[in-house]
Amino acid sequence: MSTSKELDELRRLIKHHDHLYHVLDAPEIDDASYDALVRRLRQLEAYCADETPVDSPTQRVSGTARHDFVKITHRTPMLSLDNGFEVADIESFDQRLREALALSSSDPLISYSAEPKMDGLAISLLYQEGRLVRAATRGDGAVGEDVTAQVRTIAGLPGRLRGDSYPNEIDIRAEIYMTRQGLLELNQQMQQQGKRLFANPRNAAAGSIRQLDPQVTASRPLALVCHGVAYPQGTQAAAVCHSDWLNWLAEWGLPLSSERQLVRGAAGCLAYYQQLLDKRAGLPYEIDGVVYKVDRIQDQQRLGFSSRAPRWAVAHKFPAIEVVTEVEAIDIQVGRTGALTPVARLIPVAVAGVVVRNVTLHNFQELQRKDIRPGDDVVVRRAGDVIPEIVRLAAPAEPRQLLLTLPSHCPVCGAQVIQLEGEAAARCAGGLVCPAQRRETLQHFASREAMNIDGLGEKLIDQLLQAELVRDVADLYRLERAALLRLERMGEKSADNLLQAIERSKSVALDRFLYALAIREVGVATARQLARHFVALEPIMNASIAELRVIPDIGPVVAARIDAFFREAHNRAMIGRLLDAGVSCYWQQQPVTHQQRSQEGLAGKTVVLTGTLVSMTRQEARAQLELLGAKVTTSVSRTTAMVVAGSDPGSKYAQAQALGIPIVDEPALLQLLGGEKI
Ligand code: IVH
């Protein structure tokens, strides 16, 4: 390819990937491959006689604002960072700066503020008179999107700054991210709902913020760290160093990285890099490198900016956690809900310290899109605790095998496979007749968060199913010792332990029991809310969709799933058999901890009531709240501490959601009023 052709092709490719990454939140290549493209383009541009066009990706910040949010023009543009990869890149960065600042070898080393480079979403937070008034995404660097309502829902981000030493107006730059655990749980939820999983924390953060409904954002486990301020005209005189700003931000109550450090010279930077690289796997969140920023603001000003990035900072990127291995086979797994999942069996390979053998391809559309076939070499990525994934094909096998397509019948039970509209997953229609679904259902029932039957693991469940001792979960309570002892490798002690564990599980908290029933869309949190609201099993079994919808987090889809589950005759029969066998559910409120008590203390707090209460009138509720020292007002504002929502709540409910104000239901109110003296 001629150089000019390669240049054109590279620019086109990079723009394409920018769009996928920044606008659609659906990158097709990993960061390391993207960085390699940009590096190659820079190299070619440096050697090419032609002038670099102003619209080349190397000349600007990528990303374009989406259409559905209000556009915000940043007063100070949100820039990008130049990247370094090797030791030499950092040494020459430091050397370049020394020359630009006219420092001689006898002058002191440059101080840098060294910080983790969070794998998240850049955000600008505008505080006026100490109040958060606007939050905007980076967009194309000049124009971003107004995501104030969404950002306000992030726990740990103060709506008001502490103290009184903050400037009248300050634009704080931060990164929104998700912890590994948060992402893991969110992805489990997405999988349960048959939705596409987030490939990394950045996509998850971006996808959660770019939700038109702030309530969806509120349900996502987002966190945030601040890493700088955009100096509006006139205010920069206040601080001498970048690190002063960071310390002040912390004083005002803003979250900052606990890993930030001041280091000196290139050697200090490199030592910090190594330190964080060693720590990387143990951090609760993902970082894709570290950032070094010249600490003295006067020096920053002398160094200035290029069109896309400050000259006084550099991102030192970590190597990608990717390896290539071969796909031995692609199997189809049938899950608890009958979903057919293609799973790649790999030649085992260590990725970031863990051996990866099996990787889910999620669904057949994904398999087709990635075009992965047995025998192919693939790129496997594992970032921290995030589920390992096949990023892309590395090299196709020669000759290639056929692409696995969706079977018309379940490979386990032979029942028809159904693909519902709007669902990514195709499902086996066999229900509990399908041994695969039966097995998964039993496993779920026995799991720790559900009935917690110790010792009833995967292998034993398979044995019980094979010996036909158990067909569904209710059969577990009819198991006999003699029958168990006939199983292979089953000793007397194990049999007794298992029977004891099953016996113990008979008395179970209502939320665990509900979760154990494996109702689609009902995870641990929803089960707990159902239990808290209805207090007993029977009213839940008989609740109408409207009654279910009273619970704030239960939307139309979840309500319909719960309703459908309990309408189904064989589910009711199974529950009947469980109860007949002696299973009994109890519900008791979790004891209020000291911390919660002080958080929930009502004295001096402003409370708003909305909707209809069942156990008392609003006037009565008001009187009782006032007795506890609360102030009850009629409109929701930022000073509202809590909104109590009865059924059919009004617009105050939405206002509270938009402002991220805690909303409690009637049972929770009763607990607050009647519970221990707060
Ligand atoms: S400073 C003007 N510090 O990385 C310089 N950025 O690749 C602004 N990022 O857009 C960036 N952690 O979203 C800075 N400690 C950190 C960071 C950080 C993550 C992001 C930021 C920026 C992107 C550039």
Side-chain angles (χ1 to χ4, degrees):
M1 205 187 303
S2 74
T3 309
S4 80
K5 247 199 165 145
E6 190 181 349
L7 275 166
D8 283 348
E9 179 60 14
L10 276 169
R11 287 179 189 137
R12 193 193 60 72
L13 254 178
I14 293 169
K15 281 180 194 169
H16 167 72
H17 290 300
D18 279 346
H19 184 74
L20 289 173
Y21 184 91
H22 290 287
V23 180
L24 302 180
D25 290 332
E28 280 177 359
I29 60 173
D30 57 282
D31 292 357
S33 318
Y34 175 85
D35 290 339
L37 289 176
V38 176
R39 238 179 310 165
R40 174 76 185 145
L41 177 60
R42 270 188 212 292
Q43 247 174 13
L44 287 182
E45 283 179 348
Y47 289 111
C48 185
D50 294 342
E51 203 162 310
T52 302
V54 283
D55 71 340
S56 169
T58 55
Q59 302 303 302
R60 58 176 180 78
V61 179
S62 45
T64 316
R66 270 195 172 188
H67 301 300
D68 2 350
F69 288 90
V70 174
K71 304 273 195 318
I72 298 247
T73 304
H74 300 297
R75 290 188 218 174
T76 315
M78 290 184 77
L79 296 178
S80 187
L81 285 170
D82 284 331
N83 290 326
F85 298 89
E86 322 274 338
V87 169
D89 295 339
I90 303 311
E91 284 170 344
S92 69
F93 164 75
D94 181 58
Q95 194 49 41
R96 216 167 42 240
L97 299 200
R98 291 189 72 83
E99 283 161 22
L101 293 170
L103 296 174
S104 72
S105 53
S106 59
D107 283 317
L109 297 173
I110 298 177
S111 281
Y112 294 99
S113 171
E115 303 156 16
K117 185 169 191 308
M118 306 297 296
D119 187 10
L121 177 77
I123 199 88
S124 141
L125 306 166
L126 184 67
Y127 280 84
Q128 281 171 344
E129 312 298 343
R131 285 171 190 278
L132 176 64
V133 292
R134 202 188 72 190
T137 62
R138 179 164 77 162
D140 66 359
V143 178
E145 299 147 348
D146 184 346
V147 287
T148 314
Q150 288 74 7
V151 168
R152 275 195 216 281
T153 67
I154 300 176
L157 176 69
R160 284 210 65 155
L161 298 181
R162 263 207 311 255
D164 52 12
S165 61
Y166 44 77
N168 293 345
E169 181 171 301
I170 184 165
D171 182 359
I172 297 164
R173 299 292 158 89
E175 204 75 6
I176 295 175
Y177 67 98
M178 217 175 258
T179 60
R180 295 196 173 126
Q181 184 62 25
L183 178 57
L184 200 73
E185 283 166 13
L186 176 60
N187 269 343
Q188 278 168 354
Q189 225 174 325
M190 301 292 278
Q191 191 158 29
Q192 264 184 13
Q193 296 169 5
K195 295 189 189 145
R196 216 176 132 179
L197 306 197
F198 291 111
N200 55 50
R202 201 209 87 88
N203 288 353
S208 303
I209 288 295
R210 286 187 177 138
Q211 289 285 343
L212 287 174
D213 178 1
Q215 205 196 341
V216 179
T217 313
S219 73
R220 301 283 171 85
L222 293 170
L224 169 143
V225 287
C226 299
H227 53 61
V229 291
Y231 317 124
Q233 222 63 95
T235 59
Q236 68 268 47
V240 176
C241 294
H242 171 78
S243 51
D244 294 337
W245 276 119
L246 296 186
N247 292 336
W248 289 342
L249 294 181
E251 247 171 58
W252 300 331
L254 289 157
L256 268 94
S257 168
S258 52
E259 303 298 331
R260 65 185 197 281
Q261 266 178 38
L262 268 184
V263 300
R264 287 156 59 80
C269 291
L270 295 171
Y272 178 79
Y273 176 86
Q274 193 53 49
Q275 192 185 323
L276 276 237
L277 194 56
D278 294 342
K279 259 190 162 177
R280 180 188 200 181
L283 290 174
Y285 46 79
E286 284 279 325
I287 58 178
D288 48 10
V290 293
V291 184
Y292 314 125
K293 301 170 188 171
V294 170
D295 197 40
R296 248 168 65 118
I297 291 172
Q298 219 173 44
D299 289 345
Q300 289 187 358
Q301 287 167 339
R302 283 175 65 189
L303 291 162
F305 298 87
S306 73
S307 60
R308 65 181 288 280
R311 291 204 181 86
W312 42 263
V314 69
H316 192 179
K317 300 289 276 282
F318 286 156
I321 329 174
E322 290 184 353
V323 289
V324 174
T325 189
E326 189 186 317
V327 177
E328 284 188 312
I330 298 181
D331 295 340
I332 301 175
Q333 245 174 27
V334 182
R336 173 162 62 81
T337 58
L340 266 58
T341 310
V343 176
R345 312 284 174 205
L346 306 173
I347 292 187
V349 64
V351 196
V354 164
V355 177
V356 177
R357 294 190 166 79
N358 306 312
V359 174
T360 170
L361 284 150
H362 306 305
N363 54 53
F364 282 83
Q365 290 90 299
E366 179 105 348
L367 174 67
Q368 207 154 30
R369 195 171 60 75
K370 290 191 170 156
D371 191 18
I372 309 290
R373 312 182 194 190
D376 289 348
D377 278 348
V378 290
V379 177
V380 180
R381 177 188 150 93
R382 182 182 162 271
D385 290 340
V386 176
I387 311 154
E389 57 159 355
I390 293 183
V391 188
R392 63 176 179 280
L393 190 64
E398 290 244 14
R400 278 199 103 184
Q401 298 202 26
L402 283 179
L403 182 66
L404 181 70
T405 51
L406 180 66
S408 59
H409 291 85
C410 171
V412 179
C413 74
Q416 227 184 342
V417 168
I418 305 168
Q419 173 98 57
L420 290 179
E421 218 180 305
E423 268 198 14
R427 293 177 201 279
C428 155
L432 285 182
V433 172
C434 174
Q437 293 188 49
R438 220 182 267 161
R439 171 173 182 252
E440 299 289 324
T441 306
L442 280 161
Q443 224 166 298
H444 173 83
F445 186 80
S447 67
R448 205 155 42 86
E449 296 79 10
M451 304 297 277
N452 193 18
I453 306 179
D454 225 11
L456 186 55
E458 216 171 303
K459 290 215 177 82
L460 186 51
I461 288 174
D462 279 345
Q463 279 182 294
L464 292 173
L465 282 170
Q466 234 156 35
E468 295 188 1
L469 292 180
V470 164
R471 289 177 58 86
D472 71 11
V473 297
D475 293 338
L476 289 171
Y477 295 92
R478 294 194 166 72
L479 277 175
E480 283 170 9
R481 190 167 186 270
L484 277 179
L485 286 174
R486 281 196 291 272
L487 294 176
E488 221 177 293
R489 288 189 308 276
M490 175 64 78
E492 300 211 349
K493 196 163 167 34
S494 315
D496 289 339
N497 285 345
L498 177 66
L499 288 171
Q500 269 170 25
I502 293 175
E503 191 60 33
R504 267 200 308 274
S505 75
K506 280 185 180 172
S507 167
V508 62
L510 178 58
D511 57 334
R512 284 172 169 272
F513 182 76
L514 287 170
Y515 175 66
L517 291 177
I519 307 167
R520 281 188 55 202
E521 313 276 355
V522 177
V524 174
T526 308
R528 199 165 298 149
Q529 286 181 345
L530 281 167
R532 191 179 296 147
H533 185 85
F534 290 97
V535 184
L537 178 62
E538 207 180 296
I540 303 176
M541 290 178 67
N542 299 322
S544 66
I545 290 190
E547 283 163 338
L548 292 164
R549 288 292 308 278
V550 171
I551 300 176
D553 283 356
I554 295 193
V557 175
V558 183
R561 294 268 197 229
I562 299 169
D563 180 67
F565 182 89
F566 289 115
R567 290 307 127 242
E568 192 70 55
H570 70 254
N571 288 337
R572 293 182 87 92
M574 191 231 343
I575 294 171
R577 286 171 51 229
L578 282 169
L579 301 180
D580 287 349
V583 172
S584 72
C585 321
Y586 60 87
W587 177 247
Q588 66 191 37
Q589 296 290 357
Q590 302 296 320
V592 179
T593 63
H594 177 69
Q595 192 194 357
Q596 278 170 336
R597 213 177 292 152
S598 57
Q599 277 171 358
E600 292 172 358
L602 288 168
K605 298 265 172 74
T606 307
V607 179
V608 173
L609 299 165
T610 177
T612 314
L613 300 174
V614 183
S615 54
M616 62 182 106
T617 64
R618 262 200 275 188
Q619 283 67 30
E620 287 165 350
R622 178 188 183 133
Q624 292 206 34
L625 282 164
E626 284 173 353
L627 268 179
L628 290 172
K631 198 171 131 205
V632 179
T633 62
T634 50
S635 61
V636 176
S637 76
R638 261 174 224 121
T639 57
T640 310
M642 177 174 91
V643 169
V644 178
S647 52
D648 291 321
S651 60
K652 288 170 201 162
Y653 187 90
Q655 285 162 4
Q657 279 178 337
L659 294 172
I661 292 165
I663 301 174
V664 303
D665 56 10
E666 189 170 350
L669 170 71
L670 291 176
Q671 198 200 347
L672 280 173
L673 293 176
E676 301 149 74
K677 283 283 163 270
I678 301 170

